[in-house]
Amino acid sequence: WDSRRENMASLLEQLANDKVRKVLRVLEATKSTYYLPFSRLLKEVQAASLEAEDISKHLKPLKNVLAKYFPPPSFVDVSKSFGPVMHTLLLIWKHSGYYNTNIRLHVFLEKFCNDVIIVGQEFLKQFDVLRLEPEVVEGHIRTCLKVCAALKGATYSYGNRSENECPDNKWDLQDTVFGPLDTFLERCHDLLDLVQTTSQLYSL
């Protein structure tokens, strides 16, 4: 959004200079068929510039929060970001005139969930399932499940807050938002079942 803000500002500056305005006045005076499309274009650029300026400004605190917690020292530490991220996101939702749509909320949440999944995958890759004791591997898998559950819990918690604080524009947390995360959780559960089965075989 920073790049979009700069591009829109540059384009608006070009369209708003004296020469362009003079051309616009001539088109209007001569009732040219080009006047309305050109005038509409100018208004669209102005609106896009305002949108980019607003979103860029309001996303800065969120960028700072993400930079503080990512990359995390360990996978467990990533859960420390969930509360601050959702809190900042709700503040943006309440104060931004443009970033308070469920489409943008879903895009961000899907991206954030994907980032957590990547960290979780890297966490599990550290452990050789075939060489470590099943109990050890099981503990790591349960840690992964716990962190992902905490992410969903924090999201739903702030979704409930949005109902109270923004009743006319609450978060719409559809199941599809957590699609990739739920798929990752299912694979973790499959791996957990495999490890538990292996542990039972060892005990025979």
Side-chain angles (χ1 to χ4, degrees):
W1 281 103
D2 288 342
S3 297
R4 182 177 175 83
R5 175 182 58 80
E6 293 174 2
N7 291 337
M8 287 297 102
S10 175
L11 182 57
L12 184 62
E13 183 179 356
Q14 295 175 46
L15 292 175
N17 66 39
D18 292 337
K19 291 182 180 180
V20 174
R21 289 189 176 280
K22 183 177 180 180
V23 169
L24 190 61
R25 288 195 296 270
V26 171
L27 292 175
E28 182 181 17
T30 58
K31 297 182 180 180
S32 170
T33 56
Y34 293 104
Y35 171 71
L36 286 178
F38 194 84
S39 178
R40 190 181 302 116
L41 173 63
L42 181 58
K43 290 179 180 178
E44 289 174 354
V45 172
Q46 289 173 333
S49 180
L50 288 173
E51 177 189 51
E53 181 69 31
D54 176 272
I55 292 177
S56 177
K57 179 181 72 174
H58 283 94
L59 285 183
K60 283 182 180 179
L62 185 58
K63 289 181 180 179
N64 293 336
V65 171
L66 292 171
K68 179 179 178 180
Y69 292 99
F70 284 84
S74 69
F75 180 59
V76 176
D77 289 318
V78 76
S79 61
K80 297 178 182 178
S81 70
F82 299 160
V85 166
M86 296 304 159
H87 178 73
T88 306
L89 193 59
L90 182 58
L91 288 176
I92 294 171
W93 183 270
K94 292 165 65 176
H95 297 289
S96 172
Y98 295 91
Y99 205 77
N100 57 350
T101 67
N102 279 294
I103 292 178
R104 291 206 166 103
L105 174 68
H106 294 169
V107 169
F108 173 81
L109 290 176
E110 289 172 5
K111 176 66 168 62
F112 188 56
C113 286
N114 286 336
D115 289 343
V116 174
I117 290 170
I118 291 172
V119 178
Q121 290 172 334
E122 293 300 319
F123 170 71
L124 291 177
K125 284 180 183 178
Q126 301 176 71
F127 311 109
D128 191 331
V129 177
L130 299 178
R131 293 187 179 184
L132 289 176
E133 291 293 327
E135 293 79 7
V136 175
V137 178
E138 181 178 339
H140 295 316
I141 297 172
R142 290 193 180 281
T143 296
C144 206
L145 292 171
K146 183 178 180 180
V147 169
C148 292
L151 172 55
K152 294 184 72 172
T155 305
Y156 281 120
S157 175
Y158 276 88
N160 291 334
R161 284 186 57 176
S162 76
E163 290 188 30
N164 297 326
E165 300 178 22
C166 313
D168 296 328
N169 188 30
K170 62 183 181 180
W171 289 8
D172 180 16
L173 298 176
Q174 302 174 2
D175 292 339
T176 54
V177 171
F178 298 109
L181 186 66
D182 286 336
T183 299
F184 178 64
L185 285 169
E186 288 175 8
R187 291 178 180 174
C188 287
H189 279 293
D190 291 341
L191 183 58
L192 182 61
D193 290 340
L194 175 63
V195 171
Q196 289 176 334
T197 301
T198 302
S199 179
Q200 292 173 0
L201 290 174
Y202 279 153
S203 65
L204 294 178

